[in-house]
Amino acid sequence: MDPTVIIAGGGPTGLMLACELALANVHAVVVEKLLDPSGESRGMGLHARSLETLDQRGLLERFGDDTPVWPRAHFALMWMDLSDFDTTFTYIVPQWRTEKILDERARELGVDLRRGEVVVAVDQDDDGVSVGVRNAAGEEYRLRGEYLVGADGGGSTVRKLAGFDFPGTDSTYHGVLGDIEEYDAVDGIETTLYPDKGMYAAIPLGPDVLRIMTTEFDAELPPDDQEVTLDELRASVKAITGEEPRVGKPRWLSRFGNASRQVTAYRRGRIFLAGDAAHVHYPMGGQGLNSGIQDAVNLGWKLAAEINGWGPPALLDSYHAERHPVAARVARNTEAQLALLHPVGKIGPLRDLFGELLQYKEVRRHLIEMVTGIAVAYDFEYPDRADGPHPLEGRRIPNATLATSDGERTVAETLRAGHGVLLDLSGGDAESVDVSNWAGRVDLVRARPVEEIDAAVALVRPDGYIAYAHGDGSDPEGLELALKTWFG
Ligand SMILES: Cc1cc2nc3c(=O)[nH]c(=O)nc-3n(C[C@H](O)[C@H](O)[C@H](O)COP(=O)(O)OP(=O)(O)OC[C@H]3O[C@@H](n4cnc5c(N)ncnc54)[C@H](O)[C@@H]3O)c2cc1C
């Protein structure tokens, strides 16, 4: 059977998207260049918003209770304590582990995962897409589908072949990283700024692996084809810290830079981009993988709605409208952080002042919610609506525990099927909360009012964002408009 959606790239973004589509009974094929899951770990941190999303799909428990958590977040290496706030601590998880969990879930859901195969050609016409794939034996074949999503990382072949514009800036800094098996013991996560030289970090990734990472300011990024060596890592550490590190057996070595680019449009006809294929920036604060997961859950249900025949006309285009500004903001906060790090002769006083501002709890809250993705809110409006917008609309739904007639359920548990959820928290006062016209798309959950959700009625999208809310539930027309806008 021909797939309906072809996904180029089985990294975290592509795998999460495949799971979302499969959950909505859409046939997806993932074409992934690597024969086996990478075993590498660029990303190491899963922030609060990603953890909420994974919980909403029942995947959080797969990470296990022994997953290390990190109760701090930083902005430009100025650290803030998460325990001052009611927020989930960051999970320290090597990226390969996140990919493995998503890979297993995708297979359980019946996704056709073709490892060791590469997307080499891309075409589209009015009826669908045609994708050239080279398999592990070097033979080429064509796949036909309704849509193609390029989730094939920063160097995206789909982006290049389909002619997406990808403006931005090239690298001016570069870093070297190594996952090392023989090293001098460190006490927790160590990150240090060496003024005018660079940054050095040592992060234990497990009982026997240490991530060593450097960033050298004003150093040119060597060409991609120049192999990274242990000596390069040693030299980089020495150039920054002045000390020769004791580093033994490397498990993985890599290089990264601070190029910052974003496509101008996330869609060209039947081709979409998601994750690093759509946006790249310096990995400051670990926001890239987290953004990719959010791209995937934003696009997944919309694409499925279109394919399943009930997607309202503007739904699919809301993917670009919602996600483009989010990645643009991540890139800007990354640039702002880099601007607070170098050159110290110029930015020293600004950095000191910023440090003073961080004494204020509200400033810390603002930055923490920004880097953990909690602050993301989508801007939409209902042109024909009588009442003004409710302040919760566009924001994420908090993971409150709901008292329902069937017992206690968290909000995350109500979203596991990947459907929309209409929360009736009015205690029976809300008018007309019937969703029978949207059966299979929206589930109704009645529960007692909860402090965390300041509304009597809240319509939650499958990606966990509030599409509509009302204080006392006396607006059946507004609710129906919202249901039609998002769920057909
Ligand atoms: C040093 C470093 C630390 C980081 N730390 C964090 C962190 O802590 N938290 C965080 O959120 N992010 C972090 N990031 C960023 C994060 O690693 C990326 O944002 C994330 O990997 C993006 O996921 P993706 O699935 O979009 O792309 P990728 O992970 O790049 O996956 C793309 C996949 O596509 C495949 N592919 C490529 N071309 C083709 C093709 N033509 N055909 C088929 N398959 C193809 C590749 O093999 C790959 O598996 C870090 C990055 C770096 C460099």
Side-chain angles (χ1 to χ4, degrees):
M1 183 174 51
D2 275 345
T4 318
V5 180
I6 302 162
I7 300 171
T13 306
L15 291 170
M16 188 76 204
L17 177 65
C19 293
E20 290 295 286
L21 292 168
L23 200 58
N25 297 317
V26 169
H27 179 43
V29 164
V30 177
V31 180
E32 166 54 50
K33 188 160 67 174
L34 299 176
L35 203 49
D36 297 306
S38 70
E40 295 168 358
S41 184
R42 275 175 290 158
M44 294 155 287
L46 283 175
H47 291 310
R49 182 66 196 131
S50 298
L51 297 175
E52 285 179 349
T53 298
L54 292 165
D55 193 14
Q56 286 163 7
R57 294 298 181 264
L59 295 172
L60 195 56
E61 57 208 35
R62 298 191 185 202
F63 287 85
D65 292 339
D66 54 350
T67 303
V69 294
W70 182 240
R72 301 170 79 203
H74 74 85
F75 194 82
L77 295 191
M78 289 181 257
W79 288 92
M80 299 167 284
D81 205 334
L82 296 178
S83 50
D84 291 343
F85 304 93
D86 180 23
T87 183
T88 317
F89 294 167
T90 300
Y91 274 29
I92 302 296
V93 188
Q95 184 164 328
W96 63 261
R97 187 142 174 256
T98 306
E99 288 174 12
K100 187 162 178 277
I101 287 169
L102 294 174
D103 181 292
E104 282 165 9
R105 178 64 176 150
R107 286 173 198 277
E108 280 164 25
L109 290 167
V111 171
D112 181 353
L113 234 165
R114 302 187 185 184
R115 288 198 166 275
E117 306 201 355
V118 192
V119 168
V120 291
V122 167
D123 277 312
Q124 62 173 321
D125 52 52
D126 290 346
D127 303 320
V129 292
S130 212
V131 174
V133 179
R134 190 167 52 234
N135 68 18
E139 292 149 0
E140 282 189 24
Y141 68 96
R142 280 196 103 71
L143 270 175
R144 181 90 187 146
E146 278 187 52
Y147 293 96
L148 167 66
V149 181
D152 48 346
S156 173
T157 302
V158 173
R159 186 184 66 228
K160 289 171 195 154
L161 292 177
F164 284 84
D165 281 339
F166 193 43
T169 51
D170 289 332
S171 264
T172 50
Y173 308 162
H174 87 271
V176 187
L177 71 82
D179 289 348
I180 307 295
E181 287 180 8
E182 288 155 16
Y183 51 86
D184 288 331
V186 292
D187 190 15
I189 295 180
E190 207 183 284
T191 52
T192 316
L193 170 65
Y194 289 82
D196 287 333
K197 291 192 173 142
M199 292 178 277
Y200 168 78
I203 304 161
L205 286 187
D208 53 2
V209 190
L210 182 72
R211 158 70 47 90
I212 291 183
M213 238 167 105
T214 66
T215 298
E216 285 183 70
F217 297 135
D218 298 326
E220 221 174 280
L221 188 65
D224 280 354
D225 57 1
Q226 187 177 310
E227 201 189 328
V228 191
T229 62
L230 197 57
D231 281 344
E232 183 182 338
L233 178 66
R234 280 202 192 97
S236 184
V237 175
K238 184 148 190 222
I240 295 167
T241 68
E243 283 170 35
E244 180 98 33
R246 191 186 77 84
V247 287
K249 206 168 141 207
R251 217 180 251 189
W252 181 55
L253 292 163
S254 184
R255 232 183 251 125
F256 57 96
N258 69 330
S260 185
R261 295 184 175 276
Q262 186 183 17
V263 286
T264 50
Y266 278 28
R267 173 182 191 179
R268 289 200 79 182
R270 293 178 166 274
I271 304 176
F272 293 82
L273 295 178
D276 276 17
H279 42 76
V280 293
H281 52 81
Y282 180 82
M284 196 74 185
Q287 302 175 82
L289 184 159
N290 288 277
S291 299
I293 287 180
Q294 296 303 319
D295 285 351
V297 293
N298 187 291
L299 177 60
W301 71 279
K302 295 173 181 175
L303 206 45
E306 178 70 21
I307 290 163
N308 288 330
W310 58 262
L315 187 64
L316 213 39
D317 285 329
S318 72
Y319 168 61
H320 167 90
E322 292 183 345
R323 294 303 300 168
H324 188 278
V326 173
R329 191 159 160 72
V330 169
R332 284 184 72 75
N333 88 46
T334 303
E335 292 296 317
Q337 294 190 64
L338 290 173
L340 281 167
L341 288 160
H342 179 68
V344 81
K346 215 168 167 187
I347 53 87
L350 181 61
R351 195 171 164 84
D352 291 345
L353 182 65
F354 212 85
E356 284 169 29
L357 290 175
L358 286 183
Q359 305 303 314
Y360 295 97
K361 191 170 180 183
E362 281 314 304
V363 173
R364 295 200 303 281
R365 184 194 305 280
H366 180 84
L367 294 173
I368 285 171
E369 291 192 348
M370 183 167 73
V371 296
T372 60
I374 290 295
V376 168
Y378 299 133
D379 209 6
F380 49 76
E381 54 189 38
Y382 301 97
D384 302 325
R385 180 186 192 177
D387 288 6
H390 189 281
L392 289 181
E393 286 169 9
R395 303 196 64 86
R396 62 181 247 289
I397 185 88
N399 192 23
T401 299
L402 305 171
T404 73
S405 54
D406 300 327
E408 286 196 342
R409 292 168 80 189
T410 61
V411 167
E413 283 166 350
T414 69
L415 285 160
R416 299 260 158 100
H419 296 166
V421 172
L422 181 62
L423 293 176
D424 176 0
L425 309 173
S426 68
D429 294 338
E431 292 172 38
S432 176
V433 285
D434 180 16
V435 290
S436 51
N437 286 338
W438 292 272
R441 301 176 209 168
V442 181
D443 301 331
L444 177 62
V445 175
R446 290 185 203 274
R448 288 206 207 110
V450 280
E451 206 181 305
E452 297 93 320
I453 305 168
D454 189 14
V457 170
L459 176 63
V460 187
R461 308 189 324 188
D463 58 357
Y465 284 86
I466 300 172
Y468 165 90
H470 198 270
D472 60 17
S474 63
D475 173 36
E477 292 84 18
L479 174 59
E480 188 174 340
L481 178 65
L483 282 160
K484 284 182 177 161
T485 302
W486 297 103
F487 298 100

